[in-house]
Amino acid sequence: LGYIGLPTAALIASRGLHVTGVDVHQHVVDTINKGQIHIVEPDLDGLVHHVVHKSFLKATLTPETADVYLIAVPTPFKDNYVPDVSYVLAAVSKITPTLEKGALVILESTSPVGTTRLIEKQIYKDRPELEGHIFIAYCPERVLPGNILYELKHNDRAIGGINKISTQKTIDFYKYFVVGTLHPTNAKTAEMVKLTENSFRDVNIAFANEISMLCDDIEIDSRELISLANKHPRVNILNPGCGVGGHCISVVPWFIVDSANGKAKMVEQARRTNDYKTE
């Protein structure tokens, strides 16, 4: 029930669906059950207060049996920028005992390619009788903190299941609360979509930051330079800054680098350029 989980839960609940939000922190659970919030996000406090008091949203420490399970947990990296999916797999372990035939499991956490299949493998290992009887899909979030509720509702989504029926069932679910276009694909492609989006941003920011550092060395005003360069009809250089912002851009490109066998040279250099810019 963090910056993605709580707004998503509240938005779904606002559509008249009964939602149980799960968190590992007692303080978070108690705060939400009072109709209050523990994070800072415009308009979220009023929505949470409304859906909690209408009994459409409640918070617990322990997962309960449901028709749909939506996983939104952190995916940081470990030493040497190796992706850490342990939070995802821990969440899967928590929900697996409660799964019943016909359940839909959706991962929203930004994850390395192949994570959705890892979820499938883990569930069927622990509950082999469910194989072929539940549905699993990946749908990455793409929101901007400070405007999350609007973007959750209006942004397009890429939805990829482990099979076509999982994809369609996930699309049918998101139609309850998303007015943006829902684009069907497969799980692996949907996972790579999110990594590509963040890496695209990182590379473009790195270009602007690199130009600004070169301009410093030769005593040119980088902002004037970029403004003039952008007068070209096919050039749109970003403004330089002190690195990158947000939760994802400083982490996600490493997921591509980790699995690229040395082929993600531009992605890796952009990440190092933007990390260096902070110095």
Side-chain angles (χ1 to χ4, degrees), residues 112-144:
V113 174
T115 304
T116 308
R117 287 294 181 182
L118 279 179
I119 290 175
E120 177 191 27
K121 183 178 179 181
Q122 179 169 313
I123 291 174
Y124 292 158
K125 176 177 176 290
D126 295 337
R127 297 284 305 278
E129 77 279 8
L130 292 176
E131 186 165 357
H133 298 287
I134 64 169
F135 310 98
I136 305 170
Y138 183 71
C139 179
E141 53 81 15
R142 44 160 71 126
V143 297
L144 181 70

Side-chain angles (χ1 to χ4, degrees), residues 104 106 137 139 159 165-174:
L104 171 62
I106 304 167
C139 179
I159 295 176
I165 190 170
S166 293
T167 301
Q168 188 57 52
K169 283 185 174 292
T170 305
I171 288 174
D172 292 342
F173 171 64
Y174 276 87

Side-chain angles (χ1 to χ4, degrees), residues 217-231:
D217 289 346
I218 55 179
E219 298 182 340
I220 289 176
D221 183 335
S222 62
R223 301 224 173 223
E224 179 188 8
L225 173 82
I226 289 171
S227 175
L228 292 171
N230 284 345
K231 304 301 181 186

Side-chain angles (χ1 to χ4, degrees), residues 16 29 75 85 88 105 113 139-140 166 187-188 193 203 205 215 218 236-237 251 262 268 272:
V29 170
T75 47
V85 296
V88 172
V105 179
V113 174
C139 179
S166 293
K188 185 182 290 187
V193 163
V203 167
I205 293 167
C215 285
I218 55 179
N236 185 24
I237 304 167
V251 175
E268 181 174 1
R272 296 191 185 280

Side-chain angles (χ1 to χ4, degrees), residues 16-36:
L17 301 182
H18 291 278
V19 181
T20 299
V22 182
D23 200 275
V24 296
H25 300 290
Q26 185 71 56
H27 168 70
V28 171
V29 170
D30 293 342
T31 299
I32 293 168
N33 285 334
K34 293 175 185 175
Q36 301 170 359

Side-chain angles (χ1 to χ4, degrees), residues 37-59:
I37 63 175
H38 62 290
I39 60 177
V40 178
E41 180 62 33
D43 303 320
L44 181 61
D45 53 349
L47 183 61
V48 169
H49 182 271
H50 174 74
V51 294
V52 168
H53 286 279
K54 289 290 186 179
S55 299
F56 286 116
L57 174 64
K58 67 175 181 178

Side-chain angles (χ1 to χ4, degrees), residues 204-213 221-224 226 237-243 274 277:
N204 281 271
I205 293 167
F207 180 80
N209 282 336
E210 189 167 278
I211 290 295
S212 76
M213 290 186 285
D221 183 335
S222 62
R223 301 224 173 223
E224 179 188 8
I226 289 171
I237 304 167
L238 301 176
N239 287 322
C242 59
N274 285 329
K277 188 68 191 296

